[in-house]
């Protein structure tokens, strides 16, 4: 499934995010501990994510095509700014909640 996140305040730019991208975020816990206690997502947080991903790409994980796709399609997308990252985090939280509900329903 494809999702579209707004990448800027005015809504003129967007980034497409797939289930595979969200699964990769989860697999590598890329959003975990990314945002500090203030909860503010700014360019510094985006830079931190890019730095974390860059080191992963240089390691064994860098051989994972899904991680590379996530980087090319989403994280290093020309439209990705702090606003877009905030939208990505919100989408991930919503997606993760739906995954949990589905897993709970299957367990019953």
């Amino acid at each position: 499934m494809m999702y579209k996140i707004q990448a800027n305040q005015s809504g003129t730019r967007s980034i497409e995010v797939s289930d595979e991208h969200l699964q990769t975020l989860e697999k590598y816990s890329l959003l975990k501990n990314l945002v500090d206690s203030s909860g503010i997502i700014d360019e510094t947080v985006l830079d931190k994510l890019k730095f974390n991903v860059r080191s992963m790409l240089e390691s064994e994980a860098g051989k994972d095509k899904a991680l590379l796709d996530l980087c090319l399609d989403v994280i290093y997308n020309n439209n990705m700014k702090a606003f877009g990252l905030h939208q990505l985090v919100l989408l991930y939280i919503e997606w993760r909640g739906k995954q949990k509900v589905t897993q709970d329903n299957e367990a019953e």
Side-chain angles (χ1 to χ4, degrees), residues 3-95:
Y3 307 90
K4 196 174 266 195
I5 57 170
Q6 189 175 322
N8 63 0
Q9 291 278 11
S10 62
T12 56
R13 296 182 186 269
S14 63
I15 298 172
E16 289 198 342
V17 181
S18 69
D19 275 325
E20 290 76 23
H21 293 137
L22 294 167
Q23 289 164 0
T24 304
L25 283 171
E26 181 175 49
K27 177 181 178 181
Y28 291 104
S29 302
L30 293 174
L31 301 178
K32 190 175 185 180
N33 302 324
L34 188 65
V35 183
D36 65 18
S37 58
S38 71
I40 296 171
I41 298 177
D42 56 14
E43 295 301 322
T44 310
V45 176
L46 180 56
D47 290 342
K48 180 179 172 185
L49 174 62
K50 287 180 176 180
F51 178 76
N52 291 347
V53 167
R54 194 169 324 136
S55 20
M56 291 179 99
L57 288 172
E58 292 167 359
S59 72
E60 275 302 303
K63 294 177 178 52
D64 183 353
K65 184 183 179 318
L67 181 61
L68 194 55
D69 288 346
L70 173 69
C71 291
L72 294 173
D73 299 342
V74 181
I75 295 172
Y76 283 95
N77 185 302
N78 287 336
N79 294 329
M80 180 56 84
K81 304 286 186 262
F83 185 87
L85 179 56
H86 183 85
Q87 298 305 307
L88 180 63
V89 169
L90 294 176
L91 171 63
Y92 176 78
I93 292 167
E94 180 183 329
W95 175 83

